[in-house]
Amino acid sequence: MQCFFCSQNSKDVDYKNTDMLRRFVSSQAKIIDPKWTGVCAKHQRLLAQAIKRARFIGLLPFVKK
């Protein structure tokens, strides 16, 4: 399985793109393990940072109710 971001040739992960970020967040609003998503280590670090930024700004929830 190839990394989603490597296959799209994207250099960075945008925290404002919440539709894309929701693919990598579980139903309980946890960041999904890269073993299940198939994201490489470099993009997993960028993805985690983008999700945390989106949560802090209020674009993504910290927890689901």
Side-chain angles (χ1 to χ4, degrees):
M1 181 189 284
Q2 190 177 7
C3 174
F4 172 77
F5 299 103
C6 290
S7 64
Q8 299 292 325
N9 292 329
S10 64
K11 300 280 184 209
D12 57 344
V13 181
D14 189 18
Y15 69 92
K16 293 173 277 193
N17 190 355
T18 57
D19 294 331
M20 186 268 305
L21 292 178
R22 288 181 203 271
R23 292 184 54 192
F24 301 99
V25 176
S26 71
S27 62
Q28 297 174 349
K30 294 181 179 181
I31 300 172
I32 300 176
D33 192 79
K35 186 183 348 178
W36 298 106
T37 58
V39 179
C40 67
K42 174 185 171 184
H43 287 111
Q44 180 68 22
R45 288 190 298 270
L46 294 172
L47 180 65
Q49 185 179 27
I51 290 172
K52 290 172 186 177
R53 282 183 181 165
R55 285 177 177 167
F56 186 74
I57 292 173
L59 300 175
L60 286 176
F62 281 94
V63 293
K64 295 271 181 161
K65 293 186 180 181

